[in-house]
Amino acid sequence: MTVQDLIDFFEADAESNRDQTPDVGIVMGSDSDLDTMAGAAEALTDLGFTEETDPENPPAGYSFETWVVSAHRTPDLMYAYADTAGDRGLDVVIAGAGGKSADLPNMTASIAYPVPVIGVPVQEKSVDSVIGMPTGAPLTAVDAGKSYNAGLSAAQVLARSDSDLEARLERLHDDRRAGVAEVSRDLHDRGVEGFRDRRDD
Amino acid sequence: MTVQDLIDFFEADAESNRDQTPDVGIVMGSDSDLDTMAGAAEALTDLGFTEETDPENPPAGYSFETWVVSAHRTPDLMYAYADTAGDRGLDVVIAGAGGKSADLPNMTASIAYPVPVIGVPVQEKSVDSVIGMPTGAPLTAVDAGKSYNAGLSAAQVLARSDSDLEARLERLHDDRRAGVAEVSRDLHDRGVEGFRDRRDD
Amino acid sequence: MTVQDLIDFFEADAESNRDQTPDVGIVMGSDSDLDTMAGAAEALTDLGFTEETDPENPPAGYSFETWVVSAHRTPDLMYAYADTAGDRGLDVVIAGAGGKSADLPNMTASIAYPVPVIGVPVQEKSVDSVIGMPTGAPLTAVDAGKSYNAGLSAAQVLARSDSDLEARLERLHDDRRAGVAEVSRDLHDRGVEGFRDRRDD
Amino acid sequence: MTVQDLIDFFEADAESNRDQTPDVGIVMGSDSDLDTMAGAAEALTDLGFTEETDPENPPAGYSFETWVVSAHRTPDLMYAYADTAGDRGLDVVIAGAGGKSADLPNMTASIAYPVPVIGVPVQEKSVDSVIGMPTGAPLTAVDAGKSYNAGLSAAQVLARSDSDLEARLERLHDDRRAGVAEVSRDLHDRGVEGFRDRRDD
Amino acid sequence: MTVQDLIDFFEADAESNRDQTPDVGIVMGSDSDLDTMAGAAEALTDLGFTEETDPENPPAGYSFETWVVSAHRTPDLMYAYADTAGDRGLDVVIAGAGGKSADLPNMTASIAYPVPVIGVPVQEKSVDSVIGMPTGAPLTAVDAGKSYNAGLSAAQVLARSDSDLEARLERLHDDRRAGVAEVSRDLHDRGVEGFRDRRDD
Amino acid sequence: MTVQDLIDFFEADAESNRDQTPDVGIVMGSDSDLDTMAGAAEALTDLGFTEETDPENPPAGYSFETWVVSAHRTPDLMYAYADTAGDRGLDVVIAGAGGKSADLPNMTASIAYPVPVIGVPVQEKSVDSVIGMPTGAPLTAVDAGKSYNAGLSAAQVLARSDSDLEARLERLHDDRRAGVAEVSRDLHDRGVEGFRDRRDD
Amino acid sequence: MTVQDLIDFFEADAESNRDQTPDVGIVMGSDSDLDTMAGAAEALTDLGFTEETDPENPPAGYSFETWVVSAHRTPDLMYAYADTAGDRGLDVVIAGAGGKSADLPNMTASIAYPVPVIGVPVQEKSVDSVIGMPTGAPLTAVDAGKSYNAGLSAAQVLARSDSDLEARLERLHDDRRAGVAEVSRDLHDRGVEGFRDRRDD
Amino acid sequence: MTVQDLIDFFEADAESNRDQTPDVGIVMGSDSDLDTMAGAAEALTDLGFTEETDPENPPAGYSFETWVVSAHRTPDLMYAYADTAGDRGLDVVIAGAGGKSADLPNMTASIAYPVPVIGVPVQEKSVDSVIGMPTGAPLTAVDAGKSYNAGLSAAQVLARSDSDLEARLERLHDDRRAGVAEVSRDLHDRGVEGFRDRRDD
């Protein structure tokens, strides 16, 4: 497996016009970013998306794909991925990178334009580098490590033209709200000490 | 004109089911933020959107609306605007605020969910406050003052289901690229001193 | 238990005109903030306040209540709590939140006004977001994690019209001062090494 | 006029038991801080307070006084002012200082305790120094330069036992809210360009 | 003039094997960076380098070239420039960019490798983004705006195998040293006030 | 033991004109700062100073004393210590405090003036607060946690009029220099891997 | 005038054993730092020191000298100045430098040891570099730009063995204190508005 | 072994004109920096360099040497090392230091000029101090702790006149690229959960 093999795949896939393609692409600069970036996959899964792992047998319904693409070690691979994103049928790309020179999200956004890219700074120190795009080069970012929110945001984009997906987003939210109500009542009724005693049992 | 008048308008508009509604809402915490936030309107205008100023005579085609909504001075107005955003037919909200407690984008995102909200930190010191949303409360942000990019990003969302708008985004980009090529050739051929001399003439 | 149930309770309580109500309300954005926010309850308890856990059987004397209220996951609950604070008889609200967008204290202050709100940044990175209110929207803040001081400050407000409570504040302080005198004398008389040897025994 | 003259005045005033004393004391580290600190006086004046300039002819109703007290150049004066604050009848002290070692608010809070002190960092770089009090030494702070809010917060403290003052706080707020509504409607109805054209005429 | 024209030129030049090629390439993200980046050209000129402005009539001796290459607006141009740098005969590339996402130096270094790239952060806020390369992707940086030093550093690289150029570097330095001696003696002998009086005449 | 007892001791000692008094006073805001501040005592001990623990039996030769003095919990004790420092015969005071409002060094310097005070920020976040004195209020500071250097600096002050102490400072330095020479030779001769292997055995 | 000439002078002066030598040396990295560093000369002058400008005709009483010494452009001159400081009879060196690599104060302190060196960061961004000395290499620093305080601190060192100089330090301070008393009384008696009106007349 | 012994060695070596000398010198401020700085030796070793540990038996081919040189504890040793670097035949010096006053790289660059020096900030807080050189004093820096990249950069300098070394740099890079391709394919084909399960087995 070489970098060129992957480039060839992306270019061939862009020309293949296959029916069923992933809606969302998740890319990260290194597999050491995976634990942070897995939240994007988790959010999409919570919303009913399936991960495409075999392009020849794509899943039905909404799907996403996941790749490692390094801006600094494999700039040609990054270029090819971003350059083919629109033709391969991706509707949103979620791109995450760490370090102070987190170039992957920004370069992906510049090359894949007008496909929208959501940047995920993998570390706190990556925020400035991800968010700081010049006028004319749009990218939107979530906070450091908040890849789960990037997954939700990607779904919000798709939900603009799909009311069923919008309903799924609302159901997911309702569960979170109910959790707040439960714990709020519990804390109040037990009191601070009672709540902590029970929690620490 | 009172805050309640505006709240009444938003609530009535949400129930009116009128045909033609703005696609994008632009809100800002104060009219002192307008010069920074005007970039969002400019980008949308560059892409052919029209500003709706009279809801009874809405423009044809893509449109946007602009309001001042203060999180800290008029929390009830902010709540009403965000709460009615989906029912009023807005597809994206661009929200900008300055200061260190730039709560407007975040609260708007939390209340308008699942309508996507793009946050614009009006000052550098507003970035942390805008971007720092907790897991489960999605908002994406552009860099401080980059409201023009927020306008492009809003259009990228709408362009996911409109290839004509996507083409307009590409044409706008091509103009920028041509500008780079011109100035690059000019700088190279005149040399550093020649280029500066001519520029400063 | 739903968010709406809690909202209904706060609204009903605001209209109930019950005799004995909590003097201080402590709210936090998540129960994960509880260990940091418990200091406020501790300070009030040290000053003789009782935690009200059952509104139908309120304690005599000064009391406080504790709730989880999330600005971003349950903005309607936050709105209802702050909006009813004055009518429910709260004299001071202590509100704490973590993260970079610590919106709970600020929004609570804006909505509950003119009831005074003391903001507690739960993390160092929350300080800017909590303290940065615009002119006309008052909130006072303590340092990151200093919820114990927020409890003392709340009592200082109430003590303006209650000399007995003021005396309790002074007695609490005297104990701290005596501790400094003891350890200062002990360090001096044993010397640096002698003091450390004994401490580490 | 010497520092000792002022110390003597504060000590004599503390023992005088005069009937009418200022409710709020405003102190600042230097008269170069006055333009920033004047906001506190402005807020109190907006709420109907009068500035006491002649202790022998004190104004009726709520009043405040203003002094320059330097922590680093006149530590004895600072000590005397804070130490006599309670006995002189002050209910709240607003203390502002600039620089990175903005010690005046903190030391005043420590010495004047249990009289509540609201700290105003006169510069952005003063925030850390003002807010960073250790556990057991309460002080609440407003944001850098927000002395107007400190004035409102001081009034909020006094309003806990005075519903008339509370009503004045609410009226002041209503004016601000109406201003937001006016400008919001104006911006919307004129549109971004129309609003700016008119503003810049 | 289009971006593609420039790409075609770089690719043709890389295959041309022309005799005389520039030794140093200076690239910047925008012509608005020129005043900051001109220092690199100035340093090289001070050392006897000539700017090549017409590749068909290259200057004799050491030379450099200058281009505008935008990472975010023209990623394909950036890619082509960096990718052909080695084959075009460049020995060092000096790359400068501003903003918080100063990707040009980093991406150029990654693509042009093993040609050494010296990054120039055009603004203070660009430093982190320029310097923060991951292990395995070498780039060295100078301080914000210090393009003159980048020019000297590029010459230091070439001087490793050219003692004449090394001598020129030393002569340039001797002039600076003499300036320090003159002003030091002058300040000492006139005294602080005398020196300032004369300077301000 | 009360705070007043200590104040009484300092005031009595200031009037006692006893022959042998400590040359250096070390004060810290809390005994939790002791492990950081112990370096000052260590440096002085390395230079032959003795810690005075019983004022009635003072040691011969150079000596120092150590106390806990809290600016925020015991401002009166801090005032008394600093105010009597000169009369008690202290030649230098080393004052350390932690937190963001590290007021002890600054206030001690302001009150003890013209006795020189060396400030030790106990934490990194204390640096700004310690160093930021206004013009006219001198204090010099060492880096966060560098109390050992504060001890050396105090001795440097005393050594201005004592060549024997100056010689001791030089001997202490020579030992450090010899250590560098040893390890440098060892690293070079073993090589990086050899040195590490041996070290980790 | 060459750098070597100055080095020769310092070395010859160190061996000359002349009777009257400057007590304080003020060095700065560039004459562009002079306006900031002049405060040190001003403080010493306020205390009765004379600037020595002609070593062959040294002034009577306390004196100081002023030189430009660049760590990065003339490291040999810096080395010679610091290395001869003790033998030339300097009792304190005040060293100021700007930029982020403000090496002059630190290197001077390391080389001149055990002569005490007071570092003056000429810019805010120089503070970290000046203060950050490792254990065993003492230097004390004042805040950015506070060279006047460095002058006072240098005099405090000399005053340890000269009660007349100590008395001069106290007189200087008394003037500052009187100024605070005057303005404080003036502000109070005129009131905020009256004071500002008069000031702005 | 004394500091003077090492100085004598460097000076003698500079005059010896021995045939085979190290190409790259690695210096660090303390052996506690070794684990961070070892990356430079590792990179050079990966490229076929040998470490010279016995100058009398120098290795054939490219070589490097490693020393501890402290700017603050042994400024004379630092001076001698940098001053002899060119005459000893070093082509590049890699200098690393920690702390906020990381003076070693900067001073070495200033003294060794025109030999190029690559600075390695050993800690994040060392970056500003290392990179912040004034105009005319060139030094290039890598990111905090990235000594491996400094080793690659040093080799890039030497490779400008050695195509074999350039080829070795490319082979090293190819290995890294292949690693990215492998893990990218693996992550994609297993999917996020499958990849993590296997990794954590």
Side-chain angles (χ1 to χ4, degrees), chain G residues 15-189:
Chain G
E15 288 173 12
S16 70
N17 288 313
R18 57 177 168 122
D19 279 354
Q20 191 75 5
T21 57
D23 304 284
V24 179
I26 301 174
V27 289
M28 63 200 76
S30 161
D31 64 309
S32 66
D33 298 340
L34 181 58
D35 287 342
T36 302
M37 291 302 295
E42 186 188 345
L44 293 172
T45 303
D46 286 352
L47 290 164
F49 286 60
T50 306
E51 182 168 3
E52 185 197 274
T53 56
D54 179 359
E56 304 207 355
N57 295 294
Y62 283 113
S63 68
F64 65 94
E65 63 174 9
T66 318
W67 297 96
V68 170
V69 172
S70 168
H72 296 125
R73 287 172 295 161
T74 60
D76 45 355
L77 178 60
M78 174 190 75
Y79 200 98
Y81 185 82
D83 199 37
T84 59
D87 288 338
R88 290 185 60 234
L90 297 173
D91 269 316
V92 187
V93 175
I94 297 172
K100 289 190 289 191
S101 299
D103 294 354
L104 179 65
N106 313 46
M107 291 310 306
T108 299
S110 295
I111 300 165
Y113 177 95
V115 175
V117 174
I118 300 171
V120 181
V122 166
Q123 298 170 289
E124 190 60 49
K125 65 182 171 184
S126 316
V127 172
D128 275 4
S129 170
V130 169
I131 206 176
M133 299 290 281
T135 293
L139 165 142
T140 61
V142 295
D143 197 12
K146 289 292 187 296
S147 65
Y148 191 92
N149 284 1
L152 296 183
S153 292
Q156 283 178 301
V157 170
L158 295 167
R160 290 302 86 207
S161 50
D162 182 337
S163 60
D164 175 60
L165 182 54
E166 189 164 17
R168 282 194 242 168
L169 280 161
E170 284 178 342
R171 279 198 301 275
L172 190 66
H173 206 233
D174 287 344
D175 292 347
R176 288 185 183 272
R177 286 167 54 76
V180 173
E182 291 291 346
V183 78
S184 187
R185 167 60 73 186
D186 200 37
L187 171 58
H188 177 268
D189 289 1

Side-chain angles (χ1 to χ4, degrees), chain A residues 109 117-120 130-131 138-142, chain B residues 118 140-142 149-150 153-154 156:
Chain A
V117 174
I118 299 170
V120 181
V130 169
I131 206 175
L139 165 143
T140 61
V142 295
Chain B
I118 299 171
T140 62
V142 295
N149 284 1
S153 292
Q156 283 178 303

Side-chain angles (χ1 to χ4, degrees), chain A residues 12-183:
Chain A
D13 197 43
E15 288 173 12
S16 72
N17 289 311
R18 59 177 168 120
D19 280 354
Q20 191 75 4
T21 57
D23 303 282
V24 180
I26 302 173
V27 288
M28 63 200 77
S30 162
D31 64 309
S32 66
D33 299 338
L34 182 57
D35 288 342
T36 301
M37 292 301 296
E42 185 189 345
L44 293 171
T45 304
D46 287 352
L47 290 163
F49 286 60
T50 307
E51 183 167 4
E52 186 199 274
T53 55
D54 179 359
E56 304 205 356
N57 294 295
Y62 285 113
S63 67
F64 66 94
E65 62 174 7
T66 318
W67 297 96
V68 171
V69 172
S70 168
H72 295 126
R73 287 172 295 162
T74 60
D76 46 353
L77 177 61
M78 174 190 74
Y79 200 98
Y81 185 81
D83 199 39
T84 60
D87 288 337
R88 290 184 59 234
L90 297 173
D91 269 315
V92 188
V93 175
I94 296 170
K100 289 189 289 191
S101 299
D103 294 354
L104 179 65
N106 313 44
M107 291 310 306
T108 300
S110 295
I111 300 165
Y113 177 96
V115 175
V117 174
I118 299 170
V120 181
V122 166
Q123 297 170 290
E124 191 61 48
K125 65 182 172 183
S126 315
V127 171
D128 275 3
S129 171
V130 169
I131 206 175
M133 298 291 280
T135 293
L139 165 143
T140 61
V142 295
D143 197 14
K146 289 293 187 297
S147 67
Y148 190 93
N149 284 2
L152 295 183
S153 292
Q156 282 178 303
V157 171
L158 295 166
R160 289 303 85 204
S161 50
D162 182 339
S163 60
D164 174 59
L165 181 54
E166 188 164 18
R168 282 193 242 166
L169 280 160
E170 286 179 338
R171 278 198 301 275
L172 190 65
H173 206 234
D174 288 344
D175 292 349
R176 289 185 182 270
R177 287 167 52 77
V180 173
E182 292 289 347
V183 78

